[in-house]
Amino acid sequence: MTTDQQLPGTSAAGALVAPGVEELELRMSSEADVEWIGRLRHEVYARELGQHAPNDAGLLTDDLDGSNVYIVAVHHGRPAGFISVTPPWAGRFSIDRHLRRDEHPALCEDGLFEIRILAVDPGLRGGMIGRLLMYAALRWVAGHGGRGIVALGRVELLPMYLELGLASTGTAVRSGAAGFQLLTGDVAELTDRTLRRHGPLLRELGRTVRWGLEVPFLPGDEMCAHGGASVEALGRGFDTLDASGEVVPADVLDAWFPPAPAAVAALTRGLDWIARTSPPVRADGLVEEIARRRGLPESALAVGAGSSDLIFRAFRGWLDASSRVLLIDPSYGEYAHVVERVIGCRADRFPLHRAEGWRIDPERLARVLRKRYDLVVIVNPNNPTGVHADAARLRKVMEDAPAGTRFWIDETYAGYVGAGQTLEPYAAEAGNAVVCTSLSKMYALSGLRAAYLTAPAPIAAELRRWTPPWAVSLPAQIAAVNALRDPAYYASRWAQTAVLRAELATALAEVDENLSVSESVANFVLLTLPGGGLTASRLVERCRRRGVFLRDLSPMSPAFEGRTVRIAVRDAVANARVAVTVAEALRAPLGMA
């Protein structure tokens, strides 16, 4: 890579300076950019650096161009520079021409992207264009589930790369007349470092630079994003809730149906008293009802205000920075967030593959477990892939796992699978498993927040000891108890959800024969766009402007290749609107909203 050599800093008076960003645009490349990218690349890498032999055409290309993603900088309407990113779904990196991956552990990490071919017009160097291109590449990688980056950095510019937060592996590479060092970086750490060092400057630049990428200019918690933009669109002050019927909230997996009639009646009948009255401290009545309905001992249960409450409390008590954790990838992003960002331990990934139907191979999982992990997290049925692993086969894997391995099984959507597929009875008696069950999604209580976990009595007691008093609100306790008492109502609603899901999948498949639509076993479908056209983020944006909210899965994992959206099942009318809106969004030209 090559880039500007001047770093952003402060003036003598201490004010932030941002040279070279007036009328600067950063965006994804288009067909119109191909020629000037090739010419600038030839000028820099052939004539200036001697990495390649000059050619009469004055253009430099290679066989990875069809897989690379190019981000370009345009200054006052004229080409200023570019950077390219090679995503893991390309199947190979340019580094593979120089190094064997099996000889370099840094090249074998999951979620790895290659950043390469950074070039700035010679007349515009010395400002911030090169650094902003590198920042844009980092943001694009984060927005597509990247966890690590790798690059070959010019030896002459090594101090600048190290200052940015990249680390040299000490491996030297020679290409033509140019010398390089193999550099690596953790995406989350690089993002944090950038915000700590240049947060005020970035906020200033965010108001100045024209940003045309599919990810926000400033970072958020991409990995842990929960959707919910449909609710946020109604206003933070809850003063526009009457407009909720104007949008289709298919970006979150809340139930499309209301809670059981008895639950609604209990809440509305005594709402004024419920609102002003403290709940039972330990939710004993709710625990008793769960134990009765599930056939579990009360000593094996602990309740919380939703599954996230239980995840945060349990994991912080079990794990520290030295712990070894295995996560399914792709899966619910909350787990990676808590493990890596809150607790600070590094998690390995057990990758699932689209070509294999996103299924967990029990035999492969058993082999991976030989590495010995402190905690293994499995969401079953998995969110967001929507695939269920057979409980008996999963139980066999757990029974044969190395001693000391603890399993956390998230069964938030297990009710959609049917009887006999829960591992709660196993968790209550075995010493190595905990099952977390949310009452929010399956029982239409997402706004009230209620969940429980099943574990061996000592583990459950430990969680109860760390549970604050009144953790589950009185409305949540009342609603959950009444909901659990009406299994017939929910069984009928879950069956109806399956019918609606099939109808939605059929309607979406009829929109365009190039779309890939797959049903989950839960309350959503996945829609995958063909490569080379509209991206998932652009589809989500177009639909959102029409009042239909979908979930872009790109930030959750590179496995989705930036092409897959998750669509929650709603009622028949809303589902029809989703299909029509997707069709309209796909018909619009690529450059239009």
Side-chain angles (χ1 to χ4, degrees):
M1 294 189 300
T2 182
T3 184
D4 304 68
Q5 300 188 41
Q6 179 174 321
L7 305 179
T10 59
S11 66
L16 288 167
V17 294
V21 299
E22 304 83 2
E23 295 297 322
L24 180 67
E25 179 184 11
L26 293 170
R27 56 170 172 80
M28 307 304 295
S29 68
S30 66
E31 286 293 327
D33 300 311
V34 171
E35 182 174 352
W36 73 258
I37 287 174
R39 293 196 180 281
L40 179 57
R41 185 173 170 186
H42 181 272
E43 181 67 24
V44 173
Y45 287 91
R47 297 192 183 281
E48 182 179 344
L49 299 180
Q51 183 180 352
H52 303 277
N55 59 66
D56 293 339
L59 293 170
L60 195 59
T61 61
D62 67 28
D63 57 355
L64 276 173
D65 283 345
S67 303
N68 288 340
V69 172
Y70 282 89
I71 300 170
V72 300
V74 178
H75 188 245
H76 288 287
R78 300 178 62 84
F82 69 88
I83 191 169
S84 76
V85 180
T86 305
W89 55 86
R92 59 197 175 101
F93 291 156
S94 68
I95 288 175
D96 295 333
R97 301 167 184 158
H98 308 286
L99 301 171
R100 286 173 53 95
R101 293 204 195 190
D102 56 3
E103 295 177 353
H104 299 273
L107 300 180
C108 299
E109 297 287 338
D110 294 322
L112 192 66
F113 288 66
E114 182 182 23
I115 295 181
R116 59 189 293 254
I117 323 179
L118 170 62
V120 176
D121 185 286
L124 294 173
R125 295 179 189 167
M128 288 191 62
I129 293 175
R131 291 178 62 86
L132 281 171
L133 282 168
M134 293 185 70
Y135 175 74
L138 177 64
R139 294 295 303 124
W140 190 89
V141 169
H144 288 78
R147 293 181 289 276
I149 61 172
V150 62
L152 291 178
R154 280 181 57 203
V155 172
E156 296 88 343
L157 298 178
L158 187 59
M160 187 199 70
Y161 296 129
L162 298 178
E163 191 275 339
L164 287 171
L166 294 171
S168 173
T169 65
T171 300
V173 172
R174 196 80 185 170
S175 181
F180 297 86
Q181 284 272 339
L182 177 63
L183 307 173
T184 62
D186 180 271
V187 171
E189 292 175 0
L190 289 169
T191 300
D192 287 346
R193 179 188 179 97
T194 301
L195 287 178
R196 287 195 307 270
R197 295 173 67 90
H198 305 300
L201 176 59
L202 286 172
R203 285 188 285 275
E204 175 187 324
L205 291 172
R207 296 189 292 268
T208 305
V209 174
R210 294 173 59 193
W211 184 257
L213 272 66
E214 300 170 325
V215 293
F217 181 80
L218 290 174
D221 288 330
E222 287 97 349
M223 182 176 61
C224 190
H226 287 283
S230 52
V231 176
E232 294 174 2
L234 298 177
R236 293 174 181 264
F238 307 108
D239 50 2
T240 57
L241 294 182
D242 290 341
S244 60
E246 299 175 8
V247 303
V248 178
D251 56 333
V252 289
L253 300 183
D254 297 337
W256 62 270
F257 51 85
V264 175
L267 290 175
T268 56
R269 185 170 57 243
L271 185 57
D272 58 343
W273 178 84
I274 292 171
R276 68 176 187 265
T277 302
S278 297
V281 176
R282 300 297 177 189
D284 292 332
L286 176 57
V287 172
E288 291 174 2
E289 195 65 38
I290 293 169
R292 182 182 305 114
R293 298 293 171 178
R294 297 291 192 257
L296 300 168
E298 293 181 26
S299 60
L301 301 173
V303 296
S307 58
S308 292
D309 174 28
L310 295 170
I311 294 167
F312 272 79
R313 281 194 278 125
F315 285 24
R316 292 197 68 182
W318 297 342
L319 305 174
D320 58 30
S322 66
S323 300
R324 302 198 67 227
V325 179
L326 181 67
L327 303 176
I328 303 299
D329 180 43
S331 195
Y332 183 45
E334 184 88 344
Y335 291 108
H337 173 74
V338 174
V339 169
E340 295 181 326
R341 309 290 287 150
V342 176
I343 296 169
C345 58
R346 186 65 180 263
D348 290 345
R349 261 65 174 190
F350 182 84
L352 306 178
H353 305 289
R354 189 195 306 273
E356 299 173 358
W358 304 115
R359 298 189 180 280
I360 295 176
D361 180 347
E363 295 180 358
R364 179 164 66 94
L365 178 59
R367 291 193 298 270
V368 171
L369 293 178
R370 294 171 189 167
K371 297 179 181 179
R372 296 185 177 272
Y373 291 95
D374 299 300
L375 183 66
V376 179
V377 179
I378 300 175
V379 181
N380 194 38
N382 194 19
N383 171 26
T385 65
V387 177
H388 178 258
D390 179 72
R393 299 187 71 184
L394 199 53
R395 174 172 176 162
K396 183 66 168 59
V397 171
M398 293 189 289
E399 290 173 339
D400 295 341
T405 305
R406 177 179 287 170
F407 291 83
W408 176 280
I409 310 298
D410 184 328
E411 292 189 348
T412 294
Y413 304 96
Y416 286 112
V417 181
Q421 284 296 317
T422 178
L423 287 163
E424 288 176 347
Y426 173 80
E429 298 191 3
N432 67 341
V434 174
V435 171
C436 179
T437 307
S438 172
L439 298 174
S440 299
K441 300 296 192 294
M442 297 297 305
Y443 289 86
L445 303 177
S446 291
L448 295 176
R449 313 302 302 153
Y452 67 94
L453 60 77
T454 307
I459 294 177
E462 178 189 5
L463 260 294
R464 290 195 298 270
R465 184 164 64 90
W466 286 102
T467 301
W470 311 294
V472 184
S473 72
L474 184 55
Q477 292 188 40
I478 292 172
V481 166
N482 281 277
L484 288 166
R485 290 173 177 171
D486 196 350
Y489 169 81
Y490 287 101
S492 67
R493 290 299 194 176
W494 300 339
Q496 191 175 357
T497 299
V499 173
L500 290 168
R501 184 183 66 216
E503 293 174 349
L504 174 61
T506 298
L508 290 169
E510 292 174 348
V511 166
D512 190 322
E513 63 180 9
N514 295 314
L515 298 178
S516 174
V517 181
S518 59
E519 285 190 61
S520 73
V521 299
N523 61 335
F524 58 91
V525 302
L526 298 186
L527 184 152
T528 299
L529 299 159
L534 194 67
T535 62
S537 61
R538 293 301 188 203
L539 175 63
V540 168
E541 180 184 4
R542 290 180 176 189
C543 291
R544 183 176 297 183
R545 294 183 181 183
R546 294 165 169 83
V548 171
F549 289 74
L550 314 179
R551 178 72 183 275
D552 175 14
L553 298 181
S554 304
M556 295 186 70
S557 173
F560 292 117
E561 302 179 10
R563 300 189 289 122
T564 301
V565 299
R566 189 192 68 193
I567 306 175
V569 174
R570 315 313 303 170
D571 63 33
V573 173
N575 288 343
R577 182 176 167 190
V578 167
V580 168
T581 302
V582 168
E584 293 173 349
L586 292 174
R587 282 197 298 266
L590 281 178
M592 295 181 63

PDB file of all heavy atoms in Angstrom, residues 511-522:
ATOM      1  N   VAL A 511     -41.145 -12.382  -6.700  1.00  0.00           N
ATOM      2  CA  VAL A 511     -40.733 -11.024  -7.070  1.00  0.00           C
ATOM      3  C   VAL A 511     -39.692 -11.061  -8.180  1.00  0.00           C
ATOM      4  O   VAL A 511     -39.740 -10.288  -9.134  1.00  0.00           O
ATOM      5  CB  VAL A 511     -40.184 -10.287  -5.827  1.00  0.00           C
ATOM      6  CG1 VAL A 511     -39.441  -9.014  -6.237  1.00  0.00           C
ATOM      7  CG2 VAL A 511     -41.318  -9.944  -4.879  1.00  0.00           C
ATOM      8  N   ASP A 512     -38.719 -11.957  -8.044  1.00  0.00           N
ATOM      9  CA  ASP A 512     -37.611 -12.026  -8.999  1.00  0.00           C
ATOM     10  C   ASP A 512     -37.008 -13.418  -8.916  1.00  0.00           C
ATOM     11  O   ASP A 512     -36.662 -13.888  -7.830  1.00  0.00           O
ATOM     12  CB  ASP A 512     -36.554 -10.963  -8.666  1.00  0.00           C
ATOM     13  CG  ASP A 512     -35.490 -10.815  -9.748  1.00  0.00           C
ATOM     14  OD1 ASP A 512     -35.086 -11.843 -10.321  1.00  0.00           O
ATOM     15  OD2 ASP A 512     -35.056  -9.678 -10.004  1.00  0.00           O
ATOM     16  N   GLU A 513     -36.855 -14.066 -10.053  1.00  0.00           N
ATOM     17  CA  GLU A 513     -36.326 -15.433 -10.054  1.00  0.00           C
ATOM     18  C   GLU A 513     -34.874 -15.502  -9.614  1.00  0.00           C
ATOM     19  O   GLU A 513     -34.363 -16.583  -9.284  1.00  0.00           O
ATOM     20  CB  GLU A 513     -36.468 -16.040 -11.452  1.00  0.00           C
ATOM     21  CG  GLU A 513     -35.666 -15.313 -12.520  1.00  0.00           C
ATOM     22  CD  GLU A 513     -35.829 -15.929 -13.895  1.00  0.00           C
ATOM     23  OE1 GLU A 513     -36.701 -16.806 -14.050  1.00  0.00           O
ATOM     24  OE2 GLU A 513     -35.084 -15.528 -14.809  1.00  0.00           O
ATOM     25  N   ASN A 514     -34.172 -14.372  -9.595  1.00  0.00           N
ATOM     26  CA  ASN A 514     -32.773 -14.347  -9.182  1.00  0.00           C
ATOM     27  C   ASN A 514     -32.594 -14.248  -7.672  1.00  0.00           C
ATOM     28  O   ASN A 514     -31.475 -14.339  -7.176  1.00  0.00           O
ATOM     29  CB  ASN A 514     -32.040 -13.187  -9.852  1.00  0.00           C
ATOM     30  CG  ASN A 514     -31.971 -13.344 -11.355  1.00  0.00           C
ATOM     31  OD1 ASN A 514     -31.653 -14.422 -11.865  1.00  0.00           O
ATOM     32  ND2 ASN A 514     -32.279 -12.284 -12.082  1.00  0.00           N
ATOM     33  N   LEU A 515     -33.695 -14.028  -6.968  1.00  0.00           N
ATOM     34  CA  LEU A 515     -33.618 -13.961  -5.513  1.00  0.00           C
ATOM     35  C   LEU A 515     -33.582 -15.370  -4.928  1.00  0.00           C
ATOM     36  O   LEU A 515     -34.210 -16.285  -5.454  1.00  0.00           O
ATOM     37  CB  LEU A 515     -34.820 -13.211  -4.944  1.00  0.00           C
ATOM     38  CG  LEU A 515     -34.995 -11.753  -5.342  1.00  0.00           C
ATOM     39  CD1 LEU A 515     -36.279 -11.204  -4.720  1.00  0.00           C
ATOM     40  CD2 LEU A 515     -33.797 -10.919  -4.904  1.00  0.00           C
ATOM     41  N   SER A 516     -32.853 -15.517  -3.828  1.00  0.00           N
ATOM     42  CA  SER A 516     -32.871 -16.770  -3.082  1.00  0.00           C
ATOM     43  C   SER A 516     -33.624 -16.518  -1.778  1.00  0.00           C
ATOM     44  O   SER A 516     -33.231 -15.671  -0.976  1.00  0.00           O
ATOM     45  CB  SER A 516     -31.442 -17.236  -2.785  1.00  0.00           C
ATOM     46  OG  SER A 516     -31.450 -18.371  -1.942  1.00  0.00           O
ATOM     47  N   VAL A 517     -34.709 -17.220  -1.583  1.00  0.00           N
ATOM     48  CA  VAL A 517     -35.541 -17.050  -0.396  1.00  0.00           C
ATOM     49  C   VAL A 517     -35.572 -18.360   0.369  1.00  0.00           C
ATOM     50  O   VAL A 517     -35.879 -19.412  -0.203  1.00  0.00           O
ATOM     51  CB  VAL A 517     -36.978 -16.620  -0.771  1.00  0.00           C
ATOM     52  CG1 VAL A 517     -37.809 -16.416   0.490  1.00  0.00           C
ATOM     53  CG2 VAL A 517     -36.952 -15.343  -1.606  1.00  0.00           C
ATOM     54  N   SER A 518     -35.244 -18.306   1.643  1.00  0.00           N
ATOM     55  CA  SER A 518     -35.269 -19.516   2.466  1.00  0.00           C
ATOM     56  C   SER A 518     -36.069 -19.254   3.730  1.00  0.00           C
ATOM     57  O   SER A 518     -35.940 -18.210   4.361  1.00  0.00           O
ATOM     58  CB  SER A 518     -33.845 -19.964   2.819  1.00  0.00           C
ATOM     59  OG  SER A 518     -33.155 -18.950   3.523  1.00  0.00           O
ATOM     60  N   GLU A 519     -36.909 -20.228   4.065  1.00  0.00           N
ATOM     61  CA  GLU A 519     -37.691 -20.140   5.298  1.00  0.00           C
ATOM     62  C   GLU A 519     -36.854 -20.598   6.488  1.00  0.00           C
ATOM     63  O   GLU A 519     -36.080 -21.539   6.395  1.00  0.00           O
ATOM     64  CB  GLU A 519     -38.921 -21.047   5.212  1.00  0.00           C
ATOM     65  CG  GLU A 519     -40.028 -20.549   4.343  1.00  0.00           C
ATOM     66  CD  GLU A 519     -41.270 -21.398   4.528  1.00  0.00           C
ATOM     67  OE1 GLU A 519     -41.798 -21.452   5.662  1.00  0.00           O
ATOM     68  OE2 GLU A 519     -41.702 -22.022   3.531  1.00  0.00           O
ATOM     69  N   SER A 520     -37.039 -19.926   7.602  1.00  0.00           N
ATOM     70  CA  SER A 520     -36.481 -20.425   8.850  1.00  0.00           C
ATOM     71  C   SER A 520     -37.487 -21.385   9.475  1.00  0.00           C
ATOM     72  O   SER A 520     -38.581 -21.580   8.946  1.00  0.00           O
ATOM     73  CB  SER A 520     -36.220 -19.256   9.807  1.00  0.00           C
ATOM     74  OG  SER A 520     -37.455 -18.764  10.318  1.00  0.00           O
ATOM     75  N   VAL A 521     -37.119 -21.974  10.608  1.00  0.00           N
ATOM     76  CA  VAL A 521     -38.108 -22.744  11.360  1.00  0.00           C
ATOM     77  C   VAL A 521     -38.834 -21.839  12.347  1.00  0.00           C
ATOM     78  O   VAL A 521     -39.748 -22.284  13.040  1.00  0.00           O
ATOM     79  CB  VAL A 521     -37.446 -23.907  12.131  1.00  0.00           C
ATOM     80  CG1 VAL A 521     -36.775 -24.862  11.165  1.00  0.00           C
ATOM     81  CG2 VAL A 521     -36.453 -23.392  13.165  1.00  0.00           C
ATOM     82  N   ALA A 522     -38.430 -20.575  12.406  1.00  0.00           N
ATOM     83  CA  ALA A 522     -38.998 -19.632  13.374  1.00  0.00           C
ATOM     84  C   ALA A 522     -39.902 -18.636  12.652  1.00  0.00           C
ATOM     85  O   ALA A 522     -40.607 -19.003  11.713  1.00  0.00           O
ATOM     86  CB  ALA A 522     -37.877 -18.940  14.149  1.00  0.00           C
TER      87      ALA A 522
END
